Amino acid sequence: MNFLEGVMSPDPLSQYTSSGDVALFDFSEDYLAAKTVAPLHLESGDVPAIAAAARKLADEHHLLLPDADVLLERCVIALLSGHLVLQGPPGTGKTTLAYVLAKAFNASVHLETATADWSTYDVIGGLHPTSRQGLESLEPWLGHVPRAALKCAEVIARHEDEDEGKLEPHQAHWLIIDEFSRAEIDKAIGPLYTVLGGGGDDTPLPLWFGENEQTSAVWLPKRFRIIATMNDVDTNYVYTFSQGLTRRFQFVYVGVPAKNQINDELREAAINAGEWYKTTYGGSDFDVMIDFVEDSRVVETTKIIASFLEEIRYDSPDGTRPGWPLGTAQIVDVYRQIALRRVDANSPASLLDALDLALADRVIPQAGNLLTAQLETAEAWLGAHALPRATASLKHLRAASATGY
């Protein structure tokens, strides 16, 4: 007997699976089918086990997180309770972490990137114009959230079915929304505001554009999650959230690695860049460790990068100057530039020029929103380390900011 018979609904789950009488969830005709599996909770609440799985995956992705064990535990607890927003500076691995967390929970995912143009049409859905055989009409279009929720219901049904479960290893399907604060979410979220607020187990997401009773609402499965990421540095270009919307998500801050992690961070960044170079241009004869990471010139360059991060990334000891939270992704970009400019082992004798150009082209342009004290600290460090191109780039940026163009 199917394990849900007589427990959740008089209709057996197999009614909605390919091992039953009909094909799995004919969404175009009946969104109400999702209600059958909606009450199922996540399979496990074992925080240590899920956090350990996430840590292993993070290490495999060269994702160096500050206070990693505590951070991952907080994320796991947030997702066991509801939806999650990962906030922090750009380049700190928030999107990669979102994928890692979903995989640790054994959930498939897809990603959407929010924009300032998002409205309830994008998030919930609506009517879109179409033309068939020369006749123009309006047809329903499902937004990102109900489409992901229906996919989640499909995955759950296949996973729990005695026959289909062998073919569907995932317990759920989740939605990642990148750059969450780029959209005016309070406005775009529409009726989802009530549903996310815990409006009750029997509260579906209404779809005003549904063609009939079967397509006028979608139940969000209890296993469904939204993981959003947001950059909290570029505040001039993003929207803020109301207190009500904030309560519907748990916010976890993902910062830059701590000072005592810099050496490990740079090694992982160099490996990441070396693997990219090998795959893209290096060929099978290129050894990432010997030919790049442990190249004496790269090692010397790494010491200089470490000094740069120690000087500009963290708050000044007296607390008068905030640090510039430069993310690991930007450092990987620097190493990629170095890898592209690297030639044979004898020439050039130093990669200082390559570092100078990489900082000038990849890092300094991102300093536009820094405070004067932060810019002065960076300029002083660059000047002291004989990096003329990066220094000139920073002076140009400061001059442009001063004149307003």
Short mmCIF file of all heavy atoms in Angstrom, two decimals, residues 2 13-14 17-20 157-169:
data_model
loop_
_atom_site.label_atom_id
_atom_site.label_comp_id
_atom_site.label_asym_id
_atom_site.label_seq_id
_atom_site.Cartn_x
_atom_site.Cartn_y
_atom_site.Cartn_z
N ASN A 2 0.49 2.27 -0.76
CA ASN A 2 1.23 3.52 -0.74
C ASN A 2 1.20 4.12 0.66
O ASN A 2 0.17 4.13 1.31
CB ASN A 2 0.59 4.49 -1.75
CG ASN A 2 1.42 5.73 -1.94
OD1 ASN A 2 1.47 6.57 -1.06
ND2 ASN A 2 2.05 5.82 -3.10
N LEU A 13 -1.47 8.77 -3.53
CA LEU A 13 -0.44 9.50 -4.24
C LEU A 13 -0.21 8.95 -5.63
O LEU A 13 0.08 9.69 -6.56
CB LEU A 13 0.86 9.45 -3.43
CG LEU A 13 2.09 10.11 -4.03
CD1 LEU A 13 1.85 11.61 -4.17
CD2 LEU A 13 3.32 9.86 -3.18
N SER A 14 -0.37 7.64 -5.79
CA SER A 14 -0.10 7.04 -7.10
C SER A 14 -1.01 7.58 -8.19
O SER A 14 -0.75 7.41 -9.37
CB SER A 14 -0.24 5.51 -7.01
OG SER A 14 -1.54 5.16 -6.61
N THR A 17 1.17 9.84 -10.14
CA THR A 17 2.48 9.41 -10.59
C THR A 17 2.35 8.52 -11.81
O THR A 17 1.29 7.98 -12.11
CB THR A 17 3.22 8.63 -9.48
OG1 THR A 17 2.46 7.47 -9.14
CG2 THR A 17 3.39 9.49 -8.25
N SER A 18 3.45 8.36 -12.50
CA SER A 18 3.41 7.60 -13.74
C SER A 18 3.16 6.13 -13.49
O SER A 18 2.88 5.38 -14.43
CB SER A 18 4.72 7.79 -14.51
OG SER A 18 5.81 7.42 -13.71
N SER A 19 3.27 5.69 -12.24
CA SER A 19 2.95 4.29 -11.95
C SER A 19 1.46 4.12 -11.67
O SER A 19 1.00 3.00 -11.47
CB SER A 19 3.75 3.81 -10.72
OG SER A 19 3.42 4.58 -9.58
N GLY A 20 0.71 5.23 -11.67
CA GLY A 20 -0.73 5.16 -11.49
C GLY A 20 -1.44 5.21 -12.82
O GLY A 20 -0.90 4.83 -13.86
N ALA A 157 6.61 13.95 -5.58
CA ALA A 157 5.76 12.81 -5.94
C ALA A 157 6.58 11.67 -6.53
O ALA A 157 6.38 10.50 -6.18
CB ALA A 157 4.69 13.26 -6.93
N ARG A 158 7.50 12.02 -7.40
CA ARG A 158 8.33 10.98 -8.00
C ARG A 158 9.24 10.34 -6.96
O ARG A 158 9.46 9.12 -6.96
CB ARG A 158 9.18 11.58 -9.14
CG ARG A 158 8.37 11.98 -10.36
CD ARG A 158 9.24 12.69 -11.39
NE ARG A 158 10.33 11.85 -11.86
CZ ARG A 158 10.23 11.01 -12.89
NH1 ARG A 158 9.08 10.88 -13.54
NH2 ARG A 158 11.27 10.30 -13.27
N HIS A 159 9.77 11.17 -6.07
CA HIS A 159 10.68 10.66 -5.05
C HIS A 159 9.98 9.71 -4.08
O HIS A 159 10.57 8.70 -3.65
CB HIS A 159 11.26 11.86 -4.27
CG HIS A 159 12.26 11.49 -3.22
ND1 HIS A 159 13.53 11.05 -3.52
CD2 HIS A 159 12.19 11.48 -1.86
CE1 HIS A 159 14.19 10.81 -2.41
NE2 HIS A 159 13.40 11.05 -1.38
N GLU A 160 8.74 10.02 -3.72
CA GLU A 160 8.02 9.23 -2.72
C GLU A 160 7.32 8.01 -3.32
O GLU A 160 6.99 7.08 -2.60
CB GLU A 160 6.99 10.10 -2.00
CG GLU A 160 7.56 11.31 -1.29
CD GLU A 160 8.51 10.93 -0.15
OE1 GLU A 160 8.45 9.76 0.30
OE2 GLU A 160 9.28 11.78 0.28
N ASP A 161 7.11 8.01 -4.62
CA ASP A 161 6.43 6.89 -5.25
C ASP A 161 7.32 5.64 -5.24
O ASP A 161 8.53 5.73 -5.47
CB ASP A 161 6.04 7.26 -6.68
CG ASP A 161 5.30 6.14 -7.38
OD1 ASP A 161 4.15 5.86 -7.00
OD2 ASP A 161 5.90 5.52 -8.27
N GLU A 162 6.75 4.50 -4.98
CA GLU A 162 7.52 3.26 -4.86
C GLU A 162 8.31 2.94 -6.11
O GLU A 162 9.43 2.44 -6.05
CB GLU A 162 6.57 2.11 -4.52
CG GLU A 162 5.94 2.24 -3.14
CD GLU A 162 4.96 1.12 -2.85
OE1 GLU A 162 4.77 0.28 -3.75
OE2 GLU A 162 4.38 1.09 -1.76
N ASP A 163 7.74 3.24 -7.27
CA ASP A 163 8.43 2.94 -8.53
C ASP A 163 9.31 4.11 -8.99
O ASP A 163 10.47 3.93 -9.34
CB ASP A 163 7.42 2.60 -9.63
CG ASP A 163 6.68 1.31 -9.33
OD1 ASP A 163 7.26 0.46 -8.62
OD2 ASP A 163 5.53 1.16 -9.78
N GLU A 164 8.74 5.31 -8.97
CA GLU A 164 9.45 6.48 -9.48
C GLU A 164 10.59 6.92 -8.57
O GLU A 164 11.53 7.58 -9.00
CB GLU A 164 8.48 7.65 -9.68
CG GLU A 164 7.48 7.44 -10.80
CD GLU A 164 8.16 7.41 -12.16
OE1 GLU A 164 9.17 8.11 -12.35
OE2 GLU A 164 7.67 6.67 -13.04
N GLY A 165 10.51 6.59 -7.28
CA GLY A 165 11.53 7.00 -6.34
C GLY A 165 12.92 6.53 -6.70
O GLY A 165 13.92 7.15 -6.35
N LYS A 166 12.98 5.41 -7.40
CA LYS A 166 14.28 4.89 -7.84
C LYS A 166 14.90 5.78 -8.91
O LYS A 166 16.11 5.77 -9.12
CB LYS A 166 14.10 3.47 -8.37
CG LYS A 166 13.54 2.49 -7.33
CD LYS A 166 13.26 1.14 -7.96
CE LYS A 166 12.63 0.18 -6.95
NZ LYS A 166 12.28 -1.12 -7.55
N LEU A 167 14.04 6.52 -9.62
CA LEU A 167 14.51 7.37 -10.70
C LEU A 167 14.68 8.83 -10.28
O LEU A 167 15.29 9.61 -10.99
CB LEU A 167 13.52 7.30 -11.88
CG LEU A 167 13.24 5.91 -12.43
CD1 LEU A 167 12.17 5.97 -13.51
CD2 LEU A 167 14.52 5.30 -13.00
N GLU A 168 14.11 9.19 -9.13
CA GLU A 168 14.18 10.58 -8.65
C GLU A 168 14.85 10.62 -7.27
O GLU A 168 14.23 10.43 -6.24
CB GLU A 168 12.77 11.18 -8.56
CG GLU A 168 12.75 12.61 -8.05
CD GLU A 168 13.72 13.51 -8.81
OE1 GLU A 168 13.41 13.85 -9.96
OE2 GLU A 168 14.79 13.82 -8.26
N PRO A 169 16.15 10.88 -7.25
CA PRO A 169 16.88 10.88 -5.97
C PRO A 169 16.60 12.12 -5.12
O PRO A 169 16.81 12.09 -3.91
CB PRO A 169 18.34 10.83 -6.40
CG PRO A 169 18.35 11.49 -7.74
CD PRO A 169 17.05 11.10 -8.39
#
